[in-house]
PDB file of all heavy atoms in Angstrom:
ATOM      1  N   ALA A 145     120.318 102.216  98.888  1.00  0.00           N
ATOM      2  CA  ALA A 145     121.165 102.929  99.840  1.00  0.00           C
ATOM      3  C   ALA A 145     122.469 102.163  99.996  1.00  0.00           C
ATOM      4  O   ALA A 145     122.469 100.997 100.363  1.00  0.00           O
ATOM      5  CB  ALA A 145     120.455 103.055 101.179  1.00  0.00           C
ATOM      6  N   ASN A 146     123.555 102.825  99.680  1.00  0.00           N
ATOM      7  CA  ASN A 146     124.867 102.228  99.887  1.00  0.00           C
ATOM      8  C   ASN A 146     125.237 102.518 101.336  1.00  0.00           C
ATOM      9  O   ASN A 146     125.720 103.601 101.670  1.00  0.00           O
ATOM     10  CB  ASN A 146     125.882 102.822  98.919  1.00  0.00           C
ATOM     11  CG  ASN A 146     127.237 102.180  99.037  1.00  0.00           C
ATOM     12  OD1 ASN A 146     127.592 101.661 100.086  1.00  0.00           O
ATOM     13  ND2 ASN A 146     127.991 102.230  97.962  1.00  0.00           N
ATOM     14  N   LYS A 147     124.979 101.557 102.212  1.00  0.00           N
ATOM     15  CA  LYS A 147     125.140 101.775 103.654  1.00  0.00           C
ATOM     16  C   LYS A 147     126.575 102.103 104.034  1.00  0.00           C
ATOM     17  O   LYS A 147     126.816 102.929 104.901  1.00  0.00           O
ATOM     18  CB  LYS A 147     124.631 100.552 104.414  1.00  0.00           C
ATOM     19  CG  LYS A 147     123.139 100.376 104.293  1.00  0.00           C
ATOM     20  CD  LYS A 147     122.659  99.171 105.046  1.00  0.00           C
ATOM     21  CE  LYS A 147     121.158  99.011 104.843  1.00  0.00           C
ATOM     22  NZ  LYS A 147     120.633  97.850 105.524  1.00  0.00           N
ATOM     23  N   LYS A 148     127.541 101.463 103.365  1.00  0.00           N
ATOM     24  CA  LYS A 148     128.939 101.719 103.687  1.00  0.00           C
ATOM     25  C   LYS A 148     129.310 103.167 103.334  1.00  0.00           C
ATOM     26  O   LYS A 148     129.922 103.869 104.136  1.00  0.00           O
ATOM     27  CB  LYS A 148     129.839 100.738 102.940  1.00  0.00           C
ATOM     28  CG  LYS A 148     131.288 100.839 103.303  1.00  0.00           C
ATOM     29  CD  LYS A 148     132.105  99.777 102.593  1.00  0.00           C
ATOM     30  CE  LYS A 148     133.567  99.869 102.996  1.00  0.00           C
ATOM     31  NZ  LYS A 148     134.370  98.861 102.308  1.00  0.00           N
ATOM     32  N   ALA A 149     128.911 103.607 102.162  1.00  0.00           N
ATOM     33  CA  ALA A 149     129.209 104.978 101.747  1.00  0.00           C
ATOM     34  C   ALA A 149     128.475 105.976 102.630  1.00  0.00           C
ATOM     35  O   ALA A 149     129.022 107.008 103.010  1.00  0.00           O
ATOM     36  CB  ALA A 149     128.832 105.184 100.285  1.00  0.00           C
ATOM     37  N   LEU A 150     127.237 105.664 102.975  1.00  0.00           N
ATOM     38  CA  LEU A 150     126.456 106.542 103.831  1.00  0.00           C
ATOM     39  C   LEU A 150     127.095 106.648 105.218  1.00  0.00           C
ATOM     40  O   LEU A 150     127.203 107.729 105.785  1.00  0.00           O
ATOM     41  CB  LEU A 150     125.018 106.021 103.940  1.00  0.00           C
ATOM     42  CG  LEU A 150     124.024 106.897 104.681  1.00  0.00           C
ATOM     43  CD1 LEU A 150     123.929 108.272 104.035  1.00  0.00           C
ATOM     44  CD2 LEU A 150     122.660 106.227 104.707  1.00  0.00           C
ATOM     45  N   LYS A 151     127.574 105.530 105.742  1.00  0.00           N
ATOM     46  CA  LYS A 151     128.232 105.527 107.047  1.00  0.00           C
ATOM     47  C   LYS A 151     129.514 106.365 106.995  1.00  0.00           C
ATOM     48  O   LYS A 151     129.775 107.170 107.887  1.00  0.00           O
ATOM     49  CB  LYS A 151     128.553 104.095 107.471  1.00  0.00           C
ATOM     50  CG  LYS A 151     129.165 103.993 108.841  1.00  0.00           C
ATOM     51  CD  LYS A 151     129.406 102.544 109.229  1.00  0.00           C
ATOM     52  CE  LYS A 151     130.052 102.463 110.599  1.00  0.00           C
ATOM     53  NZ  LYS A 151     130.367 101.087 110.967  1.00  0.00           N
ATOM     54  N   SER A 152     130.297 106.203 105.923  1.00  0.00           N
ATOM     55  CA  SER A 152     131.533 106.972 105.776  1.00  0.00           C
ATOM     56  C   SER A 152     131.232 108.462 105.687  1.00  0.00           C
ATOM     57  O   SER A 152     131.910 109.281 106.307  1.00  0.00           O
ATOM     58  CB  SER A 152     132.295 106.525 104.525  1.00  0.00           C
ATOM     59  OG  SER A 152     132.671 105.186 104.642  1.00  0.00           O
ATOM     60  N   LEU A 153     130.230 108.815 104.905  1.00  0.00           N
ATOM     61  CA  LEU A 153     129.857 110.215 104.762  1.00  0.00           C
ATOM     62  C   LEU A 153     129.398 110.776 106.104  1.00  0.00           C
ATOM     63  O   LEU A 153     129.769 111.885 106.485  1.00  0.00           O
ATOM     64  CB  LEU A 153     128.747 110.360 103.715  1.00  0.00           C
ATOM     65  CG  LEU A 153     128.210 111.770 103.483  1.00  0.00           C
ATOM     66  CD1 LEU A 153     129.326 112.695 103.002  1.00  0.00           C
ATOM     67  CD2 LEU A 153     127.066 111.747 102.509  1.00  0.00           C
ATOM     68  N   THR A 154     128.614 109.994 106.833  1.00  0.00           N
ATOM     69  CA  THR A 154     128.148 110.429 108.148  1.00  0.00           C
ATOM     70  C   THR A 154     129.321 110.674 109.088  1.00  0.00           C
ATOM     71  O   THR A 154     129.355 111.673 109.815  1.00  0.00           O
ATOM     72  CB  THR A 154     127.188 109.373 108.747  1.00  0.00           C
ATOM     73  OG1 THR A 154     126.121 109.174 107.836  1.00  0.00           O
ATOM     74  CG2 THR A 154     126.640 109.825 110.084  1.00  0.00           C
ATOM     75  N   GLU A 155     130.302 109.768 109.064  1.00  0.00           N
ATOM     76  CA  GLU A 155     131.476 109.926 109.929  1.00  0.00           C
ATOM     77  C   GLU A 155     132.273 111.171 109.540  1.00  0.00           C
ATOM     78  O   GLU A 155     132.733 111.913 110.418  1.00  0.00           O
ATOM     79  CB  GLU A 155     132.344 108.680 109.839  1.00  0.00           C
ATOM     80  CG  GLU A 155     131.746 107.472 110.501  1.00  0.00           C
ATOM     81  CD  GLU A 155     132.537 106.191 110.264  1.00  0.00           C
ATOM     82  OE1 GLU A 155     133.577 106.230 109.583  1.00  0.00           O
ATOM     83  OE2 GLU A 155     132.083 105.149 110.742  1.00  0.00           O
ATOM     84  N   VAL A 156     132.409 111.437 108.255  1.00  0.00           N
ATOM     85  CA  VAL A 156     133.118 112.624 107.795  1.00  0.00           C
ATOM     86  C   VAL A 156     132.408 113.884 108.265  1.00  0.00           C
ATOM     87  O   VAL A 156     133.020 114.824 108.756  1.00  0.00           O
ATOM     88  CB  VAL A 156     133.274 112.619 106.254  1.00  0.00           C
ATOM     89  CG1 VAL A 156     133.762 113.957 105.733  1.00  0.00           C
ATOM     90  CG2 VAL A 156     134.223 111.503 105.818  1.00  0.00           C
TER      91      VAL A 156
END
Side-chain angles (χ1 to χ4, degrees):
N146 183 334
K147 292 180 182 179
K148 185 176 181 181
L150 186 58
K151 183 178 179 183
S152 297
L153 178 60
T154 303
E155 289 173 1
V156 169

